[in-house]
Amino acid sequence: MKNDIDKILFTTTEIEEKIKTLAQKINEDYADKELLVVTLLRSAFMFVSDLSRHLTINPYLDFIVVTRYGYGDMLGKEPKILKDLDVPVNDKHILIIENIVDNGKTLFYIKEGLKIRKPLSIKTCTLFNKPKKREVEIEPDYNGFVVPDQFVVGYGLDYKQKYRNLPYLATLKKEIITPLV
Ligand code: IMP
Ligand code: MG
């Protein structure tokens, strides 16, 4: 698998440090609040696993499984929810956890969908951000790293459902990526 990697963009240590900083901010901002952390699966599984270890505020944790049918080949199609939340949200503050925001449609769609259920407040947090790729207006409230406009894998992000387990963020060698038809 290592042979497939072109370049490591963010190392395990850099990611760990960034996550501690994000957790500290979230701990301060939600110190006296009932927080529901809503994680978008699958890509944010590793991020929330590491982030939640540093949360001292005793939040609720729930998950939404969302799919876009692969990456890049269904532009314009709405993301689809395969598993919804199990708890009511109208008495809670929501923080949506995403791993990467690219064109922004996934986060936008989920945020607007949860807003209708009238939570006390709703904010968003992403570890990786590609601001140049945005097609809808959404800026996460908590941001980890700005990522160049390149396809990346690792730390939860996949190419054809592989490489999610890599403990760092990397690009793949050109010959590994088959062009979309
Ligand atoms: P958006 O709706 O375009 O913002 O895309 C967000 C989702 O697309 C993420 O949750 C990822 O699953 C996927 N994604 C976006 N960029 C990348 C990438 O560079 N590598 C792997 N998956 C990505
Ligand atoms: Mg994907």
Side-chain angles (χ1 to χ4, degrees), residues 71 158 161 164:
Y71 172 67
D158 71 300
Q161 301 305 331
R164 289 190 197 274

Side-chain angles (χ1 to χ4, degrees), residues 25-145:
K25 185 102 206 342
I26 293 167
N27 286 331
E28 285 166 16
D29 293 353
Y30 291 94
D32 321 307
K33 300 194 170 106
E34 285 279 278
L35 179 64
L36 169 63
V37 173
V38 175
T39 301
L40 304 191
L41 295 179
R42 283 166 276 194
S43 75
F45 80 95
M46 202 176 275
F47 177 31
V48 79
S49 166
D50 287 342
L51 180 77
S52 58
R53 283 171 237 241
H54 296 289
L55 294 180
T56 51
I57 46 174
N58 201 14
Y60 296 89
L61 290 177
D62 205 348
F63 302 87
I64 288 181
V65 182
V66 50
T67 183
R68 304 240 8 224
Y69 301 99
Y71 172 67
D73 50 352
M74 292 294 269
L75 288 182
K77 258 234 161 179
E78 278 192 345
K80 191 175 166 206
I81 292 179
L82 301 179
K83 185 228 161 265
D84 205 338
L85 296 179
D86 291 322
V87 293
V89 305
N90 57 345
D91 55 348
K92 299 178 187 72
H93 297 267
I94 289 183
L95 180 61
I96 303 174
I97 305 290
E98 172 61 300
N99 201 20
I100 192 162
V101 182
D102 185 79
N103 67 32
K105 285 183 184 169
T106 306
L107 195 57
F108 183 83
Y109 172 79
I110 299 294
K111 188 180 178 187
E112 293 307 306
L114 290 179
K115 249 192 210 169
I116 295 166
R117 302 181 199 174
K118 299 211 184 312
L120 297 176
S121 72
I122 184 158
K123 284 191 176 180
T124 56
C125 170
T126 190
L127 183 56
F128 304 113
N129 196 350
K130 292 183 189 169
K132 290 209 171 123
K133 295 284 293 286
R134 214 66 95 243
E135 291 175 27
V136 291
E137 228 175 278
I138 184 153
E139 255 338 292
D141 300 285
Y142 301 88
N143 277 284
F145 301 97

Side-chain angles (χ1 to χ4, degrees), residues 159-177:
Y159 174 62
K160 295 188 173 171
Q161 301 305 331
K162 288 194 163 184
Y163 308 101
R164 289 190 197 274
N165 58 309
L166 294 176
Y168 46 77
L169 192 80
T171 52
L172 287 174
K173 284 181 184 154
K174 276 198 191 74
E175 57 269 29
I176 302 295
I177 301 176

